Amino acid sequence: MTLSLKLLFFLLGSIIMMVNVNTARGQKYTGSCNKNAHITYYDYTNAGACSFGDIGGPTLSYTLVTAPNQYLFNGSYSCGVCYQLTGPKGTAIVMVADLCPANGNQVCSTQDQHFDLGGTSTFSKIADVNAGYVQVSAVPVACPLQGNLGVATKDGVNAWWMAIMAYNHVVGVDRMEIQPKTGANWVSMTRQSYNYFVWNGPGQLIPPYNVRVTSVYGEQVTVTLTDTAESKAWPSNSQFQITSAAGSPSYTGCSGTSTPTTPSPSPATSKPSPSPSPATPSPTSAPATSALMTIYDDTFQNGWSDVSWGVVGGSVNYKSTSSPHSGSYCAQFVLSGWGGLQFWSNDMIDWAAKGYTSLSFWIRADAKYSDLEVNIAGTSTTYFMSLTTSWQKVTVSLGPSGLNAPTLIGRDNKIVMQNQRASNSATFFLDDVQLIQETKPSFLLADGEASGADRVVSTSLLVCVLFGLSLFVLF
């Protein structure tokens, strides 16, 4: 066979394989397995931190629900995401509908993956109820839902202030946009810690108006709303097309656990505890991290400085001695309505090339506060925090499923913490701000699934090349 024909077969074979691999990638999904997760149980209430309401209600058809720890909840980013949990008795797929708060809950205050299951009936599918606290394996999967995705408006909304929640979505929601009137530009809505996305102008909504929901994989579903009524569910005529690989012949599952940790007294919990409650294993330690660049720790470092605006009193006190998290000082500040703490660098930092994966810091407030957001200036992706009077560590990915930072950050694309209230904020205390390289369990929505998708692309390309080469040699 001539060289030109060989090259033709090479190209055709590569194209065919690319089409087949990419099509399969869009149909099946299962994340990576973590064998060091844990479960407990509590009584799910009709509220839930995700605002889905009653089980069996218009916005929560799925019955097996869970409240993950605060780190995994990730400021409502995990709401509606499903995990397949496997334990001593069997397997169950549970949906995130609530939050196990870090405050007062030792098992929910770390970066380990913990699932507080909504009731004994769900727990009993996986382990003996009397065990109380059990080590399991966990893997994110597409939710086995019936019907289409929908959106629902919050109570108190109107044509000038709109809050909308997505429900019945088979995979996680990345963002939501609104088109205030027919033909208008799409406007990004702001995710809240209670799982609604908020739009507050400018202008007013003129029905019919459209809402566009984008999944963590980039699929989009658009819903048309014909009025601004409050507390109203709007089913769509579509659903994200990705499905779970669980149950398919090629899926090997996620079962078994690693060696259990050493037992210790059962941690206190503010949620209902199983009875009786035996001695339980301590939560495993948080994932190892290695700080690569310190931004602030007692003082600014590595060329970073403050360029904040809207600070009550005129400036941030970076030498506060009010119980710093570490060292001698912490930053203390109050933000006016829409004011922002902002960090600026002399350099433009290619964070991915340098190996940074996440922004990490410790923060507390003088009162509970849930309207402080983190973002990268110039982007539309935000991360909301639920702050208490205790120090808590916040680690948020710089990648597409976190802050979605541009390639370069620092001088132009600054790091921002902004008050999202029209009035003055609580007093905030900030310490140990760093860009870090973090090894998260790969089943997290933050980094694991994105890196998994990258591996699929790399594998696809490799298969294409090998197939083409085999044709070249064969002929």
Side-chain angles (χ1 to χ4, degrees), residues 355-430:
Y356 309 142
T357 62
S358 305
L359 171 68
S360 174
F361 53 91
W362 288 82
I363 191 168
R364 64 181 176 90
D366 65 351
K368 289 184 177 180
Y369 202 84
S370 59
D371 289 325
L372 183 67
E373 71 170 23
V374 182
N375 64 73
I376 302 297
T379 68
S380 60
T381 304
T382 60
Y383 176 89
F384 274 83
M385 297 170 284
S386 296
L387 303 183
T388 68
T389 56
S390 299
W391 283 107
Q392 60 180 285
K393 186 178 183 180
V394 175
T395 302
V396 57
S397 170
L398 293 168
S401 52
L403 295 178
N404 197 24
T407 303
L408 302 176
I409 63 174
R411 189 166 64 237
D412 295 331
N413 305 309
K414 308 170 188 68
I415 297 172
V416 180
M417 298 182 189
Q418 187 174 6
N419 178 26
Q420 289 297 310
R421 291 186 186 177
S423 56
N424 287 358
S425 70
T427 301
F428 302 121
F429 302 85
L430 181 70

Side-chain angles (χ1 to χ4, degrees), residues 34-77:
N34 175 3
K35 297 185 178 182
N36 292 292
H38 295 86
I39 58 172
T40 51
Y41 64 85
Y42 76 111
D43 292 326
Y44 175 80
T45 64
N46 62 358
C50 292
S51 305
F52 288 140
D54 290 321
I55 294 176
T59 58
L60 186 57
S61 61
Y62 199 67
T63 58
L64 306 182
V65 298
T66 187
N69 59 323
Q70 194 145 1
Y71 176 73
L72 185 55
F73 185 77
N74 196 16
S76 84
Y77 200 89

Side-chain angles (χ1 to χ4, degrees), residues 92-124:
I93 295 177
V94 298
M95 176 189 288
V96 174
D98 202 358
L99 163 68
C100 183
N103 189 25
N105 293 279
Q106 180 181 340
V107 294
C108 293
S109 63
T110 71
Q111 292 183 11
D112 300 317
Q113 279 59 63
H114 183 85
F115 299 85
D116 210 5
L117 304 180
T120 56
S121 60
T122 303
F123 191 98
S124 65

Side-chain angles (χ1 to χ4, degrees), residues 135-209:
Q135 188 171 356
V136 299
S137 62
V139 59
V141 296
C143 298
L145 300 175
Q146 301 296 318
N148 293 324
L149 176 150
V151 298
T153 57
K154 195 178 184 301
D155 59 298
V157 300
N158 53 54
W160 292 269
W161 185 84
M162 181 56 61
I164 298 176
M165 171 186 70
Y167 67 90
N168 207 57
H169 41 90
V170 296
V171 293
V173 170
D174 180 68
R175 62 186 182 275
M176 187 181 294
E177 300 158 288
I178 194 167
Q179 189 180 38
K181 63 180 180 180
T182 302
N185 293 330
W186 288 99
V187 180
S188 295
M189 304 178 73
T190 304
R191 182 191 289 271
Q192 307 297 313
S193 59
Y194 48 88
N195 196 34
Y196 277 87
F197 290 79
V198 169
W199 172 89
N200 58 357
Q204 71 178 87
L205 298 175
I206 301 176
Y209 57 98

Side-chain angles (χ1 to χ4, degrees), residues 35 37-40 84-92 117 122-138 254-258 260 281:
K35 297 185 178 182
H38 295 86
I39 58 172
T40 51
Q84 180 173 287
L85 306 179
T86 303
K89 284 183 63 178
T91 294
L117 304 180
T122 303
F123 191 98
S124 65
K125 295 177 184 296
I126 304 168
D128 190 326
V129 171
N130 291 326
Y133 179 89
V134 178
Q135 188 171 356
V136 299
S137 62
C254 175
S255 60
T257 57
S258 62

